[in-house]
Amino acid sequence: MVKINDPAKAEDVAQRLLQGRMDYVRRAIEARSALEDAQQAVREAEKEDSAAYNAAIKSGGWTEDELRKIGLNQPAKIKRVQQRKRSNGRQVSDKQKAEEGRTDQMVEDAETQSEANGKMSDIENQSG
């Protein structure tokens, strides 16, 4: 190990060492931000997809079977909600299925709010 008597030189060496490590942190932060942006975009696209599908059924006069025949299957998000409900032992009626777009939206809004609250808690804990 080299002995450094000059504090300014020691600080310079330490800064250069930290700079290399900080580059990794910067890249990780940028990647995480891009991931979160993409996840938010997917959530928004799923909401729009579910809303459009439900509108086609409720307002457009289409049936699920007709939409399926033309290649427009039920949105994955609606399927997930239905599966979650069925796995809880509840039977889902046709009326409930028709209302799931609204229920699905409520679940999505609650999940988004919960995630935001968790992130704010993490930030507050880190700064405090």
Side-chain angles (χ1 to χ4, degrees), residues 3-125:
K3 184 175 180 183
I4 300 177
N5 292 329
D6 183 2
K9 284 185 181 180
E11 185 177 332
D12 184 51
V13 169
Q15 286 293 336
R16 281 186 270 140
L17 290 172
L18 281 175
Q19 185 62 38
R21 293 173 67 198
M22 290 302 294
D23 288 341
Y24 288 99
V25 172
R26 283 186 199 98
R27 285 193 294 263
I29 290 170
E30 289 169 1
R32 181 66 50 90
S33 178
L35 174 63
E36 289 172 355
D37 290 347
Q39 288 170 333
Q40 181 62 31
V42 167
R43 284 190 294 270
E44 290 172 12
E46 283 183 328
K47 281 187 210 180
E48 291 174 18
D49 182 39
S50 294
Y53 183 86
N54 286 326
I57 293 171
K58 291 178 185 178
S59 301
W62 292 91
T63 66
E64 285 186 32
D65 191 45
E66 290 171 328
L67 293 173
R68 191 177 311 109
K69 285 179 183 177
I70 61 173
L72 189 60
N73 293 324
Q74 187 179 48
K77 184 172 182 168
I78 293 175
K79 288 180 184 179
R80 286 194 308 266
V81 171
Q82 287 176 349
Q83 288 172 348
R84 192 168 41 229
K85 286 179 181 178
R86 287 186 188 115
S87 70
N88 290 336
R90 283 187 8 192
Q91 293 295 324
V92 180
S93 69
D94 289 337
K95 182 179 177 184
Q96 288 172 318
K97 286 180 185 177
E99 293 173 350
E100 281 183 355
R102 185 182 53 191
T103 303
D104 190 40
Q105 180 65 42
M106 291 180 197
V107 169
E108 177 65 27
D109 291 345
E111 288 172 351
T112 301
Q113 184 62 43
S114 178
E115 289 173 15
N117 290 342
K119 288 179 183 177
M120 287 303 296
S121 294
D122 291 345
I123 291 169
E124 289 170 358
N125 290 338

